[in-house]
């Protein structure tokens, strides 16, 4: 059970937040409980939303890769709430069930390109405490991505460092759509929502 109750939509009067939530429904199919909790401090939610939109939906790095990177980071950190969201979004953005299921085997799976491997390696290593990313990992990224794209990759991984901590700290309840998608795709590998049920 969540440590703080997400606000109901009719409890939020801020038109900017409500408009952003309508856009979020188009992307995910629901309003995110983490945002419904953050809405108690509208400026925090607005700042987060702007950062999220720039990091995840702008730039030249492939959107589906960004979704897989944030899923890998969330798998590494153990945040089942973000795992459910990013499994759902990875799938909605075109990653096959098989590719998502093979994420732990990205180094050897033929489903991943060398560029994807370099980026996913950084996501998994950055999700560890302490962070295990090395100069060699960044050099490997630079073999496939320009410096601006490396910044995009690191930004999306770091954004989820904040989200992983937020949702684990507050035990944010995972939404049914995300749980159903993740249970279907990763349930055979033992995934369950844990404290986010």
């Amino acid at each position: 059970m969540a440590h703080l109750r997400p606000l109901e939509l009719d409890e939020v009067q801020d038109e900017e937040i409500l408009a952003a939530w309508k856009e979020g429904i188009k992307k995910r199919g629901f309003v995110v409980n983490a945002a419904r909790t953050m809405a108690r401090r509208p400026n925090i939610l607005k700042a987060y939303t702007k950062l999220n939109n720039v990091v995840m939906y702008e730039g030249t790095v492939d959107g589906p890769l960004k979704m897989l990177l944030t899923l890998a980071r969330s798998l590494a950190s153990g945040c089942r709430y973000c795992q459910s969201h990013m499994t759902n979004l990875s799938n909605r953005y075109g990653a096959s069930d098989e590719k998502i299921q093979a994420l732990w085997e990205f180094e050897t799976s033929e489903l991943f390109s060398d560029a994807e491997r370099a980026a996913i390696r950084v996501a998994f290593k950055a999700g560890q405490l302490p962070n295990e990313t090395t100069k060699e990992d960044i050099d490997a990224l630079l073999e496939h991505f320009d410096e601006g794209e490396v910044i995009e990759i690191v930004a999306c991984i770091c954004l989820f460092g904040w989200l992983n901590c937020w949702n684990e700290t507050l035990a944010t309840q995972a939404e049914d759509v995300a749980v159903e998608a993740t249970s279907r795709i990763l349930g055979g590998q033992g995934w369950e929502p844990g404290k986010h049920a």
Side-chain angles (χ1 to χ4, degrees), residues 139-170:
D139 289 344
L141 273 182
L142 288 166
E143 293 177 17
H144 305 282
F145 302 95
D146 66 34
E147 290 180 349
E149 290 169 329
V150 170
I151 293 300
E152 281 184 57
I153 288 167
V154 172
C156 72
I157 294 167
C158 291
L159 175 69
F160 272 75
W162 193 80
L163 285 171
N164 293 164
C165 187
W166 177 275
N167 292 301
E168 284 300 298
T169 300
L170 294 177

Side-chain angles (χ1 to χ4, degrees), residues 98-125:
E98 295 76 20
K99 191 166 190 171
I100 295 168
Q101 291 163 353
L103 201 52
W104 282 110
E105 289 84 37
F106 74 95
E107 291 282 15
T108 57
S109 172
E110 63 187 30
L111 296 173
F112 299 94
S113 69
D114 288 341
E116 289 172 323
R117 284 189 189 95
I120 292 167
R121 187 177 306 119
V122 171
F124 272 116
K125 287 185 170 188

Side-chain angles (χ1 to χ4, degrees), residues 21-157:
W21 285 356
K22 287 179 186 172
E23 285 301 309
I25 290 171
K26 292 178 189 174
K27 290 177 187 158
R28 293 174 188 82
F30 54 89
V31 176
V32 176
N33 282 337
R36 291 173 51 200
T37 304
M38 270 184 240
R40 286 181 173 78
R41 289 293 182 259
N43 287 340
I44 292 174
L45 176 56
K46 289 177 188 179
Y48 159 75
T49 300
K50 287 176 186 172
L51 180 63
N52 181 75
N53 288 340
V54 169
V55 168
M56 295 302 295
Y57 303 105
E58 292 183 10
T60 57
V61 175
D62 185 52
L65 177 57
K66 286 184 177 182
M67 302 304 159
L68 286 172
L69 293 176
T70 56
L71 174 55
R73 202 270 182 232
S74 299
L75 288 168
S77 75
C79 179
R80 292 183 182 262
Y81 179 85
C82 291
Q83 290 170 18
S84 72
H85 275 238
M86 300 323 295
T87 298
N88 179 49
L89 277 176
S90 292
N91 199 239
R92 288 176 74 110
Y93 273 74
S96 67
D97 292 3
E98 295 76 20
K99 191 166 190 171
I100 295 168
Q101 291 163 353
L103 201 52
W104 282 110
E105 289 84 37
F106 74 95
E107 291 282 15
T108 57
S109 172
E110 63 187 30
L111 296 173
F112 299 94
S113 69
D114 288 341
E116 289 172 323
R117 284 189 189 95
I120 292 167
R121 187 177 306 119
V122 171
F124 272 116
K125 287 185 170 188
Q128 303 295 312
L129 287 176
N131 187 316
E132 296 179 358
T133 309
T134 65
K135 182 181 185 311
E136 290 74 23
D137 295 322
I138 301 304
D139 289 344
L141 273 182
L142 288 166
E143 293 177 17
H144 305 282
F145 302 95
D146 66 34
E147 290 180 349
E149 290 169 329
V150 170
I151 293 300
E152 281 184 57
I153 288 167
V154 172
C156 72
I157 294 167

